[in-house]
Amino acid sequence: MSYCVNCGVELEESQKSCPLCAVEVCNPAKPYDAGVLKPYSSHIARINRRVERRFDGVIASVTIAFVAGICIVADMAYSAGADWSLLVAISLGLGWMLFVTPFVFDRLGPLWFVGMDMAALIGFLYGLNRLTSVEDWFTPLALPVVLSIGVLAAIGIIVIRAQKLRVFSAIAWVAGLLGTFVLTLECILDRFLFGVCSFDWSFFVAIPCFVIALIFTIIARKVELQEAIIRRLHV
Amino acid sequence: MKAPKKDWYKLDNAAKIYPVIMNDRWMSMFRFTAHLTRDVDAALLQRALERALERFPGNRVRLRRGIFWYYLEQYTKPILVEPDVNNPCTPIARGKELFRLTYYRNRVSLEVFHAIADGGGALVFFKTILAQYIRLLGVQVPATHGVLDVDEPPGGEELEDSFLRYSRMSVLPSRAESRAYKLSGTPLEPGCIALTTGLLSVDAVKTKARALRVSITEYLAATYLYALYLVQRAQPTRRKYPVKVSVPVDLRRYYKTKTLRNFSQYVNPGIDPNYGEFTFEETLAQVHHFLRYMLTEKNLNARMSKNVSEEKVLALRLVPLWIKNRAIMAVYLRTGENTFTTALSNIGPVELPESMREYFTRFDMMLRTARKNAIECAVASYGDTLSVTFTRTIRQPHVERLFFQMLVRAGLKVRIESNMEG
């Protein structure tokens, strides 16, 4: 056994120097052996770097706000009022909401992001309509389409999370919701273009979607069938 | 009384703070390590954990956010034992189980997030896992000495919030305390943590403490306080702050409860250098009398009641969690960590059933440093081995050096080991 000549404590065999005062161990009777097993593992666990991502998000937010501000100021300085710069600003705002907020608000659940993204998309399309066209296509067309996407996405998330669905059930739900969306989309388009809701081309998309949903629902309920499929398709 | 099967649990009164103050780099965690006489068999340890977990549904949980409070939800995925690492008590990923069972050579370690249990509760879980492991080696181990019977169903009282049950709500003292000295230094690399364990003879320390007419905890706390006091005195700062050590107290000693969740309080003995120069003897006397004065059922109940009374205010409970988080964090920074320099947790002697004892040589306890404190200390003993483990997030080991040098000068033999490359 070796002692620290400075602190007077006995040192564990694997210590080359005293961990308290860093004085090197000097024991002629028992020289330091680097091969002795250490009391702790040498593997260092990594900590996830979410904090840095949040910091990156804040930097990106400030940059986007700065660019939007510069555009508006420049536009107002060189023309009578802001016009093109507002398009830039709402585009940047939409981009910020879609791509930067997940980094800044990393504790929020997916439902929050669906809500925020839908709100941003509605705001963007409303602004686009007001700035580029005198005809109102936002209220009869864009708003119902975006809302239907948002509602169906929210239903999908709630169902998949609440029921803790496995892959096959999740695919069934996604296919079913996709079929529903296509039907809704054609109805909205028909009402906008012709004033009446009728189903035509959407059936050709919706029916395969519903069939896929049905097949995957059946597979999800049959464990033996799932295992047989996984066994034969495993990579 | 058998516990009703539940899929989720409310956090207990003390646990409510921990999810709020945690972040991606830090969680309030602690760890027990058992040293066996032979190398650990990971497969057997895994089987022991799975069997023991059936008895501890309150530990097989993950943390979820509610609208008004965080809560614990049953974790259904398998929980695996892991190889140990050099920097223990790293934060647990979100949505995962709230403890970690690791192994390295002849050591088994249990790391626990404070939201599910305190040291007293987690030690029962740890001892039950170890007992199950020893049973799998072919040894008969009775369910005594804090080892629970894994064949019995979980008891209802084991999952209760004993703070709510025992607080009397009559006396509500102020929680305000003066700001304490904070140890500073060069931070270690992010994620790294320095561990220094000093091993002493329990009998020798007990003899020394008795000669001074104090308990082992009082003796170690006074030595620790004095080391911190000397470090502050050596620093060229204009203003001196009181040096205070937070000492957790297991309330199970005062109440007949079987809870395995948090049920502890803390008191902060200290010395104020603004009052003048202190000697070690004066520091020891101050710690001794402070702890004897504070550690009474009445006093501890009053402190506990203060926390419970705040939780019971309906207007506060109805505040959404994201607002509540900010308010709790503000209060914590002002009245929590700011009021003590460091913590010293003494889990006391670890008792095991007779047939298990020969398989173990030592038990250690370690605390993850608090959010803003650079150093913490934890003590455990087994047989005649007293283990004092310092956890540090700064490079300078001045406090441990002074602490152990004082023990050596007092005539105690100290053996040191560390996770840092020496």
Short mmCIF file of all heavy atoms in Angstrom, two decimals, chain B residues 322-332:
data_model
loop_
_atom_site.label_atom_id
_atom_site.label_comp_id
_atom_site.label_asym_id
_atom_site.label_seq_id
_atom_site.Cartn_x
_atom_site.Cartn_y
_atom_site.Cartn_z
N TRP B 322 -47.04 25.31 -16.55
CA TRP B 322 -45.95 26.11 -17.10
C TRP B 322 -45.75 27.41 -16.35
O TRP B 322 -44.64 27.92 -16.24
CB TRP B 322 -46.12 26.35 -18.60
CG TRP B 322 -47.33 27.14 -18.98
CD1 TRP B 322 -48.58 26.67 -19.16
CD2 TRP B 322 -47.40 28.55 -19.22
NE1 TRP B 322 -49.44 27.67 -19.50
CE2 TRP B 322 -48.74 28.85 -19.55
CE3 TRP B 322 -46.48 29.59 -19.20
CZ2 TRP B 322 -49.16 30.14 -19.84
CZ3 TRP B 322 -46.91 30.87 -19.50
CH2 TRP B 322 -48.22 31.13 -19.82
N ILE B 323 -46.84 27.95 -15.76
CA ILE B 323 -46.70 29.15 -14.91
C ILE B 323 -46.14 28.72 -13.55
O ILE B 323 -45.22 29.35 -12.99
CB ILE B 323 -48.06 29.85 -14.71
CG1 ILE B 323 -48.60 30.32 -16.06
CG2 ILE B 323 -47.94 31.04 -13.75
CD1 ILE B 323 -49.99 30.91 -15.98
N LYS B 324 -46.70 27.61 -13.04
CA LYS B 324 -46.26 27.12 -11.73
C LYS B 324 -44.76 26.82 -11.74
O LYS B 324 -44.04 27.11 -10.79
CB LYS B 324 -47.04 25.84 -11.44
CG LYS B 324 -47.34 25.61 -9.99
CD LYS B 324 -48.12 24.34 -9.84
CE LYS B 324 -49.60 24.53 -10.00
NZ LYS B 324 -50.36 23.34 -10.23
N ASN B 325 -44.28 26.25 -12.86
CA ASN B 325 -42.85 25.92 -12.97
C ASN B 325 -41.99 27.14 -12.73
O ASN B 325 -40.99 27.08 -12.01
CB ASN B 325 -42.55 25.35 -14.35
CG ASN B 325 -42.92 23.89 -14.45
OD1 ASN B 325 -43.26 23.28 -13.45
ND2 ASN B 325 -42.85 23.34 -15.64
N ARG B 326 -42.38 28.25 -13.35
CA ARG B 326 -41.57 29.46 -13.22
C ARG B 326 -41.60 30.00 -11.79
O ARG B 326 -40.59 30.44 -11.25
CB ARG B 326 -42.06 30.52 -14.22
CG ARG B 326 -41.50 30.27 -15.60
CD ARG B 326 -42.39 30.75 -16.73
NE ARG B 326 -41.86 30.35 -18.02
CZ ARG B 326 -41.99 29.13 -18.55
NH1 ARG B 326 -42.62 28.18 -17.89
NH2 ARG B 326 -41.45 28.84 -19.73
N ALA B 327 -42.78 29.93 -11.18
CA ALA B 327 -42.90 30.42 -9.80
C ALA B 327 -42.10 29.54 -8.84
O ALA B 327 -41.36 30.05 -7.98
CB ALA B 327 -44.37 30.44 -9.39
N ILE B 328 -42.22 28.21 -9.02
CA ILE B 328 -41.50 27.29 -8.12
C ILE B 328 -39.99 27.48 -8.29
O ILE B 328 -39.24 27.50 -7.32
CB ILE B 328 -41.90 25.82 -8.41
CG1 ILE B 328 -43.36 25.59 -8.00
CG2 ILE B 328 -41.01 24.85 -7.65
CD1 ILE B 328 -43.90 24.22 -8.37
N MET B 329 -39.56 27.65 -9.54
CA MET B 329 -38.12 27.84 -9.80
C MET B 329 -37.62 29.12 -9.11
O MET B 329 -36.54 29.11 -8.50
CB MET B 329 -37.88 27.92 -11.31
CG MET B 329 -36.45 28.12 -11.69
SD MET B 329 -35.43 26.75 -11.20
CE MET B 329 -35.25 25.93 -12.75
N ALA B 330 -38.42 30.20 -9.19
CA ALA B 330 -38.01 31.46 -8.57
C ALA B 330 -37.89 31.29 -7.06
O ALA B 330 -36.91 31.74 -6.44
CB ALA B 330 -39.02 32.55 -8.91
N VAL B 331 -38.87 30.59 -6.44
CA VAL B 331 -38.83 30.37 -5.00
C VAL B 331 -37.64 29.48 -4.64
O VAL B 331 -36.92 29.72 -3.66
CB VAL B 331 -40.16 29.74 -4.51
CG1 VAL B 331 -40.07 29.34 -3.05
CG2 VAL B 331 -41.30 30.71 -4.72
N TYR B 332 -37.42 28.45 -5.46
CA TYR B 332 -36.32 27.51 -5.18
C TYR B 332 -34.97 28.22 -5.20
O TYR B 332 -34.13 28.03 -4.32
CB TYR B 332 -36.35 26.39 -6.20
CG TYR B 332 -35.15 25.46 -6.10
CD1 TYR B 332 -35.09 24.50 -5.10
CD2 TYR B 332 -34.09 25.56 -6.98
CE1 TYR B 332 -34.00 23.66 -4.98
CE2 TYR B 332 -32.99 24.73 -6.87
CZ TYR B 332 -32.95 23.78 -5.88
OH TYR B 332 -31.86 22.96 -5.76
#
